Amino acid sequence: IDFIGTLSRSATLSLSLCFFGLVLCFLTDEFSLFYVASNSSSSTPIFYKIFCALSGYDGSMLFFLVCLSCWKTFSILRGFCDRLQRDLIITFNFFELGICSFILFFANPFARSLPNFPLDGRGLNPQLYDLMFFIHPLTIIIGFAATAVPCCYCLASMLNEKSTHFNFLTIRPHIVISWFLLLIGIFSGCYWAYNSIGW
């Protein structure tokens, strides 16, 4: 379990560095990346460039993977369900591996257009210039990633032959946190849609 836990924490650190690297690419106008050229430009304000990583599907999937890995690490560090910890970590890792494979083959934000790349990007979608752009994507993605904790706990409980009962109290805080974050995300998204496009 110690080895798997150390490996899992290393994976979380590596994925976090990947996402920060993507944000750095936006800040330094690295237009050789398709994703950066499609969602930013040299005239995009610095503060928006930080959040441009979440303005498209590829970057959002990477951030979701980072959040999922962080929730897994948080569960390990607080000794979350010691009896099921090995099965819980393995279940989390299967989730991560599946999403990582999907990102690698279908939604890679680090895909390059070398040697012919644009000198400037297309810029951020005008509808994303809103205060809700800093709230809605973050809360929705972190909230969805938080739902993986009770999901993985349930799967680990079913896979563990020694597990005789299901302890709902163990996962209740994670369910409440995910509901709270998703509630903020949905309401901010509703307000944003009403304000920006009149839905």
Side-chain angles (χ1 to χ4, degrees), residues 2-103:
D2 290 339
F3 173 73
I4 296 173
T6 303
L7 198 62
S8 297
R9 287 190 286 270
S10 301
T12 302
L13 180 61
S14 300
L15 289 169
S16 301
L17 289 174
C18 283
F19 184 74
F20 285 125
L22 182 63
V23 172
L24 189 62
C25 288
F26 275 99
L27 290 172
T28 57
D29 296 328
E30 185 58 54
F31 298 123
S32 63
L33 298 182
F34 280 114
Y35 188 67
V36 175
S38 301
N39 295 284
S40 183
S41 68
S42 56
S43 60
T44 303
I46 294 290
F47 195 60
Y48 279 93
K49 282 183 180 180
I50 296 171
F51 285 86
C52 275
L54 301 177
S55 61
Y57 181 71
D58 301 354
S60 296
M61 283 299 294
L62 179 60
F63 184 65
F64 176 78
L65 182 60
V66 171
C67 292
L68 183 66
S69 193
C70 287
W71 280 114
K72 176 194 68 179
T73 301
F74 175 70
S75 301
I76 296 168
L77 288 176
R78 68 182 287 250
F80 180 65
C81 190
D82 292 330
R83 190 174 51 184
L84 296 174
Q85 191 154 8
R86 182 181 62 86
D87 292 327
L88 184 66
I89 294 170
I90 290 170
T91 310
F92 257 117
N93 286 340
F94 270 110
F95 267 90
E96 280 185 358
L97 185 62
I99 296 169
C100 193
S101 301
F102 178 80
I103 291 172

Side-chain angles (χ1 to χ4, degrees), residues 55-176:
S55 61
Y57 181 71
D58 301 354
S60 296
M61 283 299 294
L62 179 60
F63 184 65
F64 176 78
L65 182 60
V66 171
C67 292
L68 183 66
S69 193
C70 287
W71 280 114
K72 176 194 68 179
T73 301
F74 175 70
S75 301
I76 296 168
L77 288 176
R78 68 182 287 250
F80 180 65
C81 190
D82 292 330
R83 190 174 51 184
L84 296 174
Q85 191 154 8
R86 182 181 62 86
D87 292 327
L88 184 66
I89 294 170
I90 290 170
T91 310
F92 257 117
N93 286 340
F94 270 110
F95 267 90
E96 280 185 358
L97 185 62
I99 296 169
C100 193
S101 301
F102 178 80
I103 291 172
L104 188 62
F105 294 108
F106 300 106
N108 188 356
F110 295 102
R112 289 183 173 269
S113 56
L114 295 174
N116 302 316
F117 60 89
L119 298 177
D120 204 352
R122 289 190 305 184
L124 191 63
N125 185 327
Q127 290 179 339
L128 297 180
Y129 285 100
D130 193 283
L131 176 64
M132 294 300 114
F133 179 48
F134 308 123
I135 301 171
H136 174 71
L138 281 175
T139 51
I140 283 288
I141 294 171
I142 297 172
F144 272 126
T147 61
V149 177
C151 178
C152 289
Y153 178 82
C154 293
L155 288 172
S157 297
M158 288 190 294
L159 292 172
N160 192 309
E161 296 176 358
K162 296 179 181 178
S163 179
T164 56
H165 68 283
F166 183 82
N167 188 1
F168 176 73
L169 295 176
T170 307
I171 59 171
R172 185 168 64 180
H174 297 275
I175 295 172
V176 172

